[in-house]
Amino acid sequence: MLKPIKTEAQYEIVLERLYELIQTDISAESEEEAEFEILTLLVKEYERQRHPIGPPHPIEAIKFRLDQLGMKESDLNKILGNRSRKSDILSGRRKLSLSMIRKLHNSLNIPAEALISSY
């Protein structure tokens, strides 16, 4: 019987069962597929409550997104303005302004929540 995960021991058991299901060839519309989907939702909710992941550091979010897009740090010059501003931001000597946050959000599609964190 499926039920909410309330302890770390239950969490580990559910993870083991998910691993078993992943190792099999699950047929669409089967009981195993339904079980897999439900267990995945239970794990996601447990992890959201017990193991929350905080937002990334704003500078790390920018660097990660640049890497994802295959861009270089120098490409930030076009977004943020001059080269010294980009260098100051990436080195931590200067904080992101609201207009910079908007530009980064709009041009690189970085969630604003990741950019507004204090650092």
Side-chain angles (χ1 to χ4, degrees), residues 67-111:
D67 185 55
Q68 280 185 319
L69 297 172
M71 297 173 71
K72 298 177 182 166
E73 288 182 3
S74 60
D75 293 323
L76 286 177
N77 295 338
K78 299 171 193 152
I79 299 167
L80 298 177
N82 62 38
R83 185 172 46 174
S84 65
R85 183 175 297 158
K86 180 231 3 153
S87 295
D88 288 346
I89 294 295
L90 294 179
S91 69
R93 290 188 302 266
R94 181 179 184 151
K95 304 287 185 193
L96 291 169
S97 68
L98 183 56
S99 65
M100 290 177 197
I101 290 170
R102 285 183 180 137
K103 289 176 185 177
L104 290 165
H105 171 71
N106 292 329
S107 57
L108 299 178
N109 201 24
I110 299 173

